[in-house]
Amino acid sequence: MSLETMQKMLRKAMSQRYAVGAFNIVDYNSARAVVRTAEELRSPVIIQTSVKTVKFWSPETIVTWVKELAVDSPVPVALHLDHCKDLDCIRQCIDAGWTSVMIDASAKPFEENLLMTRQVLEMAEPAGVSVEAEMGQIVGVEDDIFVSEHDAHLAKPDEAVRFCEGLNLAAFAPAIGTAHGVYKGEPKIDYDSIEEISKRTGIPIALHGGTGLADEVFRKAISLGCAKVNISTAIKYAFIDGFVDYHLENKKYEPLKPLEAQYTRICELVAGNIRLFGSEGKADL
Ligand SMILES: [Zn+2]
């Protein structure tokens, strides 16, 4: 299968009440772990990259890896650009071969956010690329976007509906109480808003800040309309701990061994998430 867009994947997920995992990869090894695990479980999967990762490697390099992994894959794989504020970077990724992009203009006032989201849709649609947009501000630190908990505000359903009206979004990320990074306390998830926004917009909801949420939180959010779950921080931990733990235990300078341990650690994490989100066996679009 070649790379797929998120649109089809997420519509099916929403209608059948499961979610597709969107995993932030940082290199070929992590991308390989995510795709191979999805194949083992016959699950659709979204490979996500942060803007930092795109700048580190170059868009063309990342597309080469992911296309190589997806081309003979029996499962649909989407390549998605996570939180991007910069239209030039979005343009570069669309041109390079990303199948999906997220415009994050959520720090701007409502009308400006809407305008930028429209501009991105105008760029993406002719290329057959799907779009995710954000409204309200999701707390935490990611990609140098820092939103203090004090400043954060949740998305109000009426505004969310007004925002989404007439926009052909593949996914919508309203701030509903989750946070990026590691949770300091029990997050207060606004389930009523998830349900109302999902019902009134009909757009699959993207759940950001998936690392560290309890299993019941995922299940409930998915049952109410979340069809995409982002896993970033947990992958960072598996990536580094998988490598370092192996080295500390073995102290042998054979790089392929800790890389293999890192790969296995990421596979275990991804498999657990795919099962929890209910996308196992849902590879057919
Ligand atoms: Zn996010």
mmCIF file of all heavy atoms in Angstrom, residues 82-83 102 134 138 142 180 208-209 230, ligand 1:
data_model
loop_
_atom_site.group_PDB
_atom_site.id
_atom_site.type_symbol
_atom_site.label_atom_id
_atom_site.label_comp_id
_atom_site.label_asym_id
_atom_site.label_seq_id
_atom_site.Cartn_x
_atom_site.Cartn_y
_atom_site.Cartn_z
ATOM 1 N N ASP A 82 2.805 17.153 12.687
ATOM 2 C CA ASP A 82 2.177 17.541 13.948
ATOM 3 C C ASP A 82 2.365 19.056 14.154
ATOM 4 O O ASP A 82 3.289 19.653 13.582
ATOM 5 C CB ASP A 82 2.865 16.733 15.075
ATOM 6 C CG ASP A 82 2.034 16.658 16.342
ATOM 7 O OD1 ASP A 82 0.847 17.008 16.313
ATOM 8 O OD2 ASP A 82 2.598 16.227 17.376
ATOM 9 N N HIS A 83 1.537 19.663 14.988
ATOM 10 C CA HIS A 83 1.614 21.095 15.350
ATOM 11 C C HIS A 83 2.554 21.952 14.496
ATOM 12 O O HIS A 83 3.745 22.063 14.788
ATOM 13 C CB HIS A 83 2.113 21.248 16.790
ATOM 14 C CG HIS A 83 1.143 20.745 17.796
ATOM 15 N ND1 HIS A 83 0.093 21.503 18.253
ATOM 16 C CD2 HIS A 83 1.069 19.551 18.427
ATOM 17 C CE1 HIS A 83 -0.592 20.789 19.141
ATOM 18 N NE2 HIS A 83 -0.026 19.609 19.259
ATOM 19 N N MET A 102 -0.997 19.343 10.176
ATOM 20 C CA MET A 102 -1.764 20.049 11.210
ATOM 21 C C MET A 102 -1.343 21.508 11.241
ATOM 22 O O MET A 102 -0.161 21.815 11.409
ATOM 23 C CB MET A 102 -1.508 19.440 12.585
ATOM 24 C CG MET A 102 -2.218 20.223 13.684
ATOM 25 S SD MET A 102 -1.881 19.557 15.318
ATOM 26 C CE MET A 102 -2.958 20.596 16.308
ATOM 27 N N GLU A 134 -6.490 23.111 15.250
ATOM 28 C CA GLU A 134 -6.658 23.141 16.715
ATOM 29 C C GLU A 134 -7.401 24.396 17.150
ATOM 30 O O GLU A 134 -7.226 25.468 16.573
ATOM 31 C CB GLU A 134 -5.271 23.111 17.396
ATOM 32 C CG GLU A 134 -5.332 23.255 18.921
ATOM 33 C CD GLU A 134 -3.991 23.020 19.607
ATOM 34 O OE1 GLU A 134 -3.178 22.225 19.089
ATOM 35 O OE2 GLU A 134 -3.759 23.647 20.666
ATOM 36 N N ILE A 138 -4.099 23.791 24.203
ATOM 37 C CA ILE A 138 -3.761 22.573 24.923
ATOM 38 C C ILE A 138 -2.518 22.878 25.773
ATOM 39 O O ILE A 138 -1.520 23.375 25.253
ATOM 40 C CB ILE A 138 -3.493 21.427 23.921
ATOM 41 C CG1 ILE A 138 -4.784 21.143 23.116
ATOM 42 C CG2 ILE A 138 -3.008 20.172 24.638
ATOM 43 C CD1 ILE A 138 -4.595 20.275 21.886
ATOM 44 N N GLU A 142 5.420 21.690 23.879
ATOM 45 C CA GLU A 142 5.700 20.865 22.710
ATOM 46 C C GLU A 142 6.228 21.771 21.612
ATOM 47 O O GLU A 142 5.631 22.793 21.296
ATOM 48 C CB GLU A 142 4.431 20.146 22.241
ATOM 49 C CG GLU A 142 4.711 19.180 21.112
ATOM 50 C CD GLU A 142 3.569 18.207 20.893
ATOM 51 O OE1 GLU A 142 3.566 17.151 21.548
ATOM 52 O OE2 GLU A 142 2.709 18.528 20.081
ATOM 53 N N HIS A 180 0.087 18.321 26.981
ATOM 54 C CA HIS A 180 1.305 17.732 26.405
ATOM 55 C C HIS A 180 2.316 17.464 27.516
ATOM 56 O O HIS A 180 2.314 18.138 28.538
ATOM 57 C CB HIS A 180 1.928 18.708 25.403
ATOM 58 C CG HIS A 180 1.097 18.929 24.175
ATOM 59 N ND1 HIS A 180 0.746 20.175 23.735
ATOM 60 C CD2 HIS A 180 0.552 18.046 23.310
ATOM 61 C CE1 HIS A 180 0.024 20.049 22.623
ATOM 62 N NE2 HIS A 180 -0.114 18.775 22.345
ATOM 63 N N HIS A 208 -4.940 15.089 21.936
ATOM 64 C CA HIS A 208 -3.512 15.387 22.135
ATOM 65 C C HIS A 208 -3.148 15.100 23.584
ATOM 66 O O HIS A 208 -4.008 15.051 24.449
ATOM 67 C CB HIS A 208 -3.244 16.856 21.802
ATOM 68 C CG HIS A 208 -3.225 17.121 20.336
ATOM 69 N ND1 HIS A 208 -2.103 17.545 19.674
ATOM 70 C CD2 HIS A 208 -4.197 16.973 19.393
ATOM 71 C CE1 HIS A 208 -2.387 17.670 18.385
ATOM 72 N NE2 HIS A 208 -3.649 17.339 18.187
ATOM 73 N N GLY A 209 -1.852 14.948 23.841
ATOM 74 C CA GLY A 209 -1.421 14.718 25.215
ATOM 75 C C GLY A 209 -1.843 13.350 25.715
ATOM 76 O O GLY A 209 -2.299 13.196 26.843
ATOM 77 N N ASN A 230 -2.845 11.015 19.890
ATOM 78 C CA ASN A 230 -1.423 11.329 19.708
ATOM 79 C C ASN A 230 -0.595 10.769 20.852
ATOM 80 O O ASN A 230 -0.896 11.018 22.023
ATOM 81 C CB ASN A 230 -1.222 12.848 19.711
ATOM 82 C CG ASN A 230 -1.751 13.510 18.463
ATOM 83 O OD1 ASN A 230 -2.413 12.882 17.648
ATOM 84 N ND2 ASN A 230 -1.440 14.774 18.305
HETATM 85 ZN ZN ZN B 1 -0.341 18.005 20.430
#
